[in-house]
Each structure stands twice: as C-alpha cells, then as structure tokens.
Amino acid sequence: MKVLITTDLFVTATNGVVTSVRNLREELTKRGHEVRILTLSANLKTHKEGAVYYIKSIPLGVVYPDVRMPVSYRNPLIRELIDWKPDVIHSQCEFFSFQFARHIAKATKAPLIHTYHTLYEQYATYVIPSKRLGRRMVAIFSRQRLKHVNTVIAPTRKVEKSLRGYGLNNPIRVVPSGISIDQYRYRMTEDERLSKRAALGIPADHQVLINLGRLGTEKNLGELLTLFASLLTVNNQLTFLIVGDGPAREDLEKQARELNITHNVIFTGMVPPAEVQNYYQLGDIFVSASTSETQGLTYIEAAANGLPLVCRQDPCLEDVIEEGVNGYEYTASDEFIREISSILWNPDWRSAAGHSSEEIAASFDKSHFAKAVEDIYEAAIG
C-alpha cells in the first residue's frame, strides 16, 4: 500500500517521535509498502530528497526549541502528494504537519491515522503558568484536533487513559513504539568500556549511574541531581553520566555546582544516534525521574543494553520494569537511595537483572511495532 507519514520533526532533532517515524518507515518499506514522508524543512527552502518532502518553515524557538512552522500551507509538493493518492495517511504530530495530513486526507478520501506521542500538559507550563488551565486547554485542543481522525494510536495505556480523560471518543489502539533491537545487541569489550570511561574522565573505581535523553525541565533531572548528592554521602565512588542536551542544561550544570558535586557529574552533550549503545554500556544503572513520558524509548533502549533501571514511578513503565526482577520504581528519596545501594552492592543480582532487561526489551522490537501498525492501516482501509 501507499503510506504517507506526516511529522513536524524528522531531521531537525533526535527524539522519540523522530526515532519512531524512522523505525516505522524502515520496517514498512521492508514489508513491501511504498512510504513517503512529509515534514518541515530546517530553513526557508522547500525541497524533496527521495521520498522525503520538506516544506519551508520558520523557527518558533520562543515557544519551545526545535519547533518550526510552515510559511504557507499552499505548496506544489502537497499537490504532488495528492496526485500520488496515498492509501492511508499517518500523522505523527498534532500541530503544523497535521494540517497537511488533514488536507491531503480530505482531498484523497484516504483514512487518517494519528499517533499521539506527547502528553502536552507536561509542557504547557512553558506558555501557561496554571497547570489546571494548561490541562484544560490541552483537552480542548486534543478533542478538536483529532475529531476527524479514523483511529488514534497510543504508545501506552497511560496515553490512552489521558485521551479518554480529555473526552476523545475516537477508536484508540495501544501500540508501543518499537526500537531497533539489533543496534543494542552489540557489546563493547571490557577493555573498550574501561577505555571509553577513562576518556570521559570517569575514575576506574567508580560505578556509574546514567541518564540519556533530552535535557528539558519536564524530564525532572534536577530531582536526580539532588538525589545523587544524597547518595554520595553514602557512597562517594560514583559518577552520574548525563548524556544529551537541551534547554535545561545550563540550569542543571548550575545546580550541580551549587550541590558541590561537579567532580562526580559528567555532561556529555549530544551524541550521534548510531553511537548511543556505547554510552548506555558505560553505565551500571539507568536512572530517571521523569513523569512526562508517553512511553519512554530511552527506558527500553537502556533495558536492551542490559541495564537494570531505577525510575520514578509512572504508568508508562508497567511493561518495562518488572519490580525486583530488572529494576525498581521509587516514589521517595529514601527508596531511591536504598534501591540504588542494593543494586550496586549486589553484582550477581545486577547481572541477572541485566539479562532480564534484555528479554523484556526484545518484545519492543520495531518489526512487531510495524506489523501492529500495518494491521491498523488495513482495518482502516477495509
């Protein structure tokens, strides 16, 4: 079938949406489908690269970094896609590219599928100080935006529950976004691991907590720094490796200085997506305090790399963390310190937990993801 995927982001940033779109495109193509991508360009130039259509846009960084909006919704590339006559249109973002998806679906009578990746109430405070008002505005926006969508895909039951709470009556299917398990099957040798740790300035006798992802305030990394400072009073042979970049980095680095833990915290900045597995494997435990995730692909990636996880309790973790088997969910600071300490002092459990993480992550392979989405397309067309 002919599948058109629309997304605000495709190459302008690396995040969960971009990863999901790339994996879906790759797997659908493997399954024999013709896939085209419609997205926003990183500049004022409309162009096409193979099956990827870029519409000229301008930045809206004042709202949130990496957000862009099209200059115009009239564009010859849109007519080309309408003439192509896609069998199904799969929108990945609710804002600007959604307008294109809606227009093309109306012109071609193709069913419109939409994946709801982001719980915006966690981000609304960037523009609306009141959390209650922000949630209400998100609910209204989501209902109005998606009322003509044939089927909504939710990455987790957490998202499905939120959408029903917003008043959505559309059919909703829960389909976890997939990851490329093959990428994370590679393992560095111990010599490679020690060498890379040393290159980053990690002392040879230190154990490493790792967090990988976008450094935004909604990720709650400030809480992790505070917890890590408390943990150092119990065990000072620890390093906290923070991999990624984002608008909160400067504030986080300032907090680390104020907590006097800069000698134990390393900010790597952005790393190439093709190399993230090498960074996960530098860690002994993956940690997160975020409650803004709809699914949290980094949790699954960390598990696929054989790491135990200690994360703030959140519904999106129900299929990722098996309590006491491959990690723990915490709700209070004393739980975090107790669970981290227990894992670090028990290498046999840590090894078994790593193997359990790998087994859990295998169920999220992108091939399963694509097959589930393909079934939704066929049902919508039928």
Side-chain angles (χ1 to χ4, degrees):
M1 70 183 87
K2 296 178 180 179
V3 180
L4 173 63
I5 299 176
T6 66
T7 173
D8 288 0
L9 300 172
F10 188 61
V11 294
T12 54
T14 299
N15 60 16
V17 177
V18 176
T19 300
S20 179
V21 170
R22 287 176 176 167
N23 287 339
L24 181 59
R25 176 199 189 192
E26 180 182 341
E27 291 301 311
L28 288 174
T29 301
K30 283 181 184 178
R31 300 179 73 85
H33 303 294
E34 186 180 353
V35 183
R36 296 188 184 184
I37 306 289
L38 174 62
T39 188
L40 304 182
S41 73
N43 50 45
L44 278 168
K45 181 182 177 184
T46 292
H47 63 289
K48 184 171 69 170
E49 294 179 11
V52 184
Y53 293 65
Y54 295 91
I55 306 299
K56 62 183 178 181
S57 67
I58 57 174
L60 282 181
V62 68
V63 176
Y64 195 80
D66 297 326
V67 173
R68 302 185 68 89
M69 67 174 288
V71 175
S72 170
Y73 283 93
R74 295 171 179 262
N75 195 288
L77 290 186
I78 303 303
R79 170 44 59 184
E80 182 176 329
L81 288 169
I82 291 172
D83 293 340
W84 178 57
K85 295 183 180 178
D87 296 304
V88 63
I89 297 164
H90 189 169
S91 170
Q92 305 283 334
C93 298
E94 293 77 24
F95 291 96
F96 305 111
S97 60
F98 184 87
Q99 293 289 88
F100 294 119
R102 183 85 180 89
H103 173 67
I104 296 169
K106 189 175 181 180
T108 61
K109 304 294 190 290
L112 177 57
I113 311 298
H114 180 78
T115 296
Y116 199 94
H117 287 280
T118 306
L119 292 176
Y120 292 104
E121 56 192 271
Q122 299 285 343
Y123 296 79
T125 52
Y126 280 93
V127 290
I128 304 172
S130 168
K131 188 173 182 179
R132 184 177 177 182
L133 178 59
R135 187 181 190 282
R136 184 180 177 188
M137 295 297 291
V138 167
I140 294 170
F141 170 79
S142 299
R143 285 198 308 271
Q144 291 299 315
R145 203 62 159 173
L146 303 180
K147 62 183 178 182
H148 296 299
V149 169
N150 296 75
T151 302
V152 177
I153 295 176
T156 57
R157 284 182 284 276
K158 171 185 177 180
V159 177
E160 179 188 28
K161 183 178 179 180
S162 292
L163 292 175
R164 292 302 184 205
Y166 295 161
L168 256 72
N169 295 315
N170 312 56
I172 299 177
R173 293 282 301 275
V174 177
V175 180
S177 296
I179 67 167
S180 177
I181 293 295
D182 287 342
Q183 178 179 350
Y184 305 113
R185 287 200 173 110
Y186 166 79
R187 292 290 181 268
M188 288 189 290
T189 66
E190 187 59 21
D191 285 344
E192 289 174 329
R193 186 170 182 261
L194 292 174
S195 176
K196 195 164 183 64
R197 278 189 173 202
L200 288 170
I202 300 172
D205 59 347
H206 275 211
Q207 292 173 301
V208 177
L209 309 187
I210 183 170
N211 179 278
L212 188 148
R214 181 180 180 79
L215 306 188
T217 56
E218 71 282 351
K219 303 298 184 180
N220 205 20
L221 276 159
E223 177 179 298
L224 285 182
L225 287 175
T226 300
L227 291 172
F228 183 68
S230 297
L231 191 61
L232 287 175
T233 64
V234 179
N235 177 1
N236 64 5
Q237 291 183 309
L238 297 174
T239 294
F240 187 12
L241 186 63
I242 299 175
V243 182
D245 211 338
R249 179 173 176 175
E250 186 177 337
D251 289 339
L252 292 169
E253 290 176 332
K254 178 182 177 183
Q255 182 182 354
R257 290 193 296 271
E258 291 172 348
L259 290 169
N260 197 29
I261 59 174
T262 53
H263 293 301
N264 297 79
V265 178
I266 296 173
F267 292 86
T268 69
M270 283 290 291
V271 300
E275 296 180 18
V276 293
Q277 67 276 6
N278 297 332
Y279 287 85
Y280 280 118
Q281 290 170 37
L282 298 179
D284 295 291
I285 305 174
F286 178 86
V287 293
S288 174
S290 175
T291 57
S292 68
E293 311 301 324
T294 54
Q295 180 179 2
L297 291 180
T298 56
Y299 302 152
I300 302 168
E301 291 173 354
N305 279 280
L307 291 178
L309 296 85
V310 176
C311 304
R312 175 164 279 285
Q313 189 176 68
D314 190 76
C316 78
L317 291 165
E318 62 185 22
D319 295 320
V320 181
I321 293 182
E322 191 173 340
E323 194 76 7
V325 175
N326 76 316
Y328 298 95
E329 295 181 61
Y330 74 91
T331 58
S333 58
D334 60 329
E335 290 178 349
F336 179 89
I337 293 170
R338 183 173 64 249
E339 289 158 359
I340 292 289
S341 299
S342 173
I343 293 171
L344 293 177
W345 291 336
N346 192 338
D348 291 339
W349 184 92
R350 192 163 71 243
S351 177
H355 290 305
S356 296
S357 279
E358 291 174 10
E359 292 172 2
I360 290 170
S363 65
F364 291 92
D365 185 70
K366 60 184 181 179
S367 61
H368 304 314
F369 165 53
K371 177 61 172 67
V373 173
E374 181 186 55
D375 290 344
I376 292 172
Y377 293 168
E378 290 175 349
I381 293 169

